[in-house]
Amino acid sequence: MGVIPRPDGAVHAVVLAGGTGERLGGVSKADIVLGGRRLLDRVAGALRDVVDGALVVVAPDSVEAPDGCPRILEDPPGGGPLAGIAAGLDALPPPAGPCEWVLVCGVDTPAIGELAPRLVRALAERPGEGAVIVGGEPEPYRQYLQGLYRRDRLVGLLGSVRVRGRGVARTLRVLDLIEVSAPAGECRDLDGPADLAWWAGRLGG
């Protein structure tokens, strides 16, 4: 892949894997196998190229975290993705410098390896409080769970609101974010049976 231009400061990651997978019949998305690899292992492995800090997995005890990845879950469970992000932030090591970054993604983002380097590069090229993927169908929109955020701003923002049950877009839209366009296929998440079939066709079941 070559050297990825990087912003100053460590890049951490919080991978959200605590959802119930209701639209997939209650299956653990983290444990879905695509192309011979468990989805959580695929996502965590793809992030290794951009993450030089901690990689935290937000998931219940029933999900085995990859080696070297701390696992945590919001308390009580079921608080939604914003609560999961807050729990993941709490599990990061203390900041080593004035500016650090946190990449936030759902475990149901099989192409995060294509998206993450673009987010890092965007913030290396110009300043901002973060960068977010913009894509999707029928009209592109901000994919806040495919974003890279300045750690101190994210911590401060989540610390000022009640995170349980609160919408991610409603909360993070106030940040000064660089928008990074991506094809709908790359930022497609794995939400329901049609998505699973699509990704299995691309990566193998």
Side-chain angles (χ1 to χ4, degrees):
M1 179 180 293
V3 178
I4 303 170
R6 307 177 63 87
D8 292 335
V11 175
H12 306 283
V14 172
V15 178
L16 303 175
T20 59
E22 290 182 7
R23 293 186 60 192
L24 290 168
V27 67
S28 167
K29 290 185 182 181
D31 296 314
I32 292 173
V33 175
L34 289 173
R37 297 181 69 191
R38 190 174 63 127
L39 189 51
L40 178 55
D41 295 327
R42 176 179 291 277
V43 168
L47 291 175
R48 299 294 187 187
D49 286 333
V50 299
V51 172
D52 56 4
L55 196 161
V56 175
V57 175
V58 181
D61 292 344
S62 58
V63 173
E64 182 180 354
D67 291 343
C69 296
R71 182 184 57 210
I72 195 169
L73 189 65
E74 70 272 15
D75 186 20
L82 197 67
I85 295 170
L89 290 173
D90 286 344
L92 292 177
C99 181
E100 294 189 344
W101 305 90
V102 181
L103 193 149
V104 175
C105 75
V107 73
D108 58 354
T109 312
I112 193 62
E114 303 294 327
L115 305 173
R118 298 178 202 167
L119 295 169
V120 172
R121 187 177 294 109
L123 284 163
E125 293 174 347
R126 66 186 181 94
E129 294 178 328
V132 63
I133 293 295
V134 176
E137 295 178 334
E139 295 292 336
Y141 59 95
R142 283 184 168 190
Q143 305 275 356
Y144 287 99
L145 296 184
Q146 299 170 16
L148 179 63
Y149 305 100
R150 183 163 167 146
R151 180 179 180 177
D152 56 353
R153 287 290 287 124
L154 195 57
V155 169
L157 185 58
L158 269 59
S160 67
V161 299
R162 175 182 168 85
V163 296
R164 188 172 181 84
R166 184 182 174 93
V168 173
R170 174 189 174 192
T171 306
L172 301 189
R173 66 188 179 190
V174 302
L175 295 174
D176 177 21
L177 301 177
I178 301 168
E179 295 188 342
V180 180
S181 297
E186 288 185 1
C187 59
R188 181 172 182 165
D189 60 14
L190 203 165
D191 191 31
D195 303 311
L196 177 57
W198 190 90
W199 278 109
R202 180 174 177 175
L203 300 175

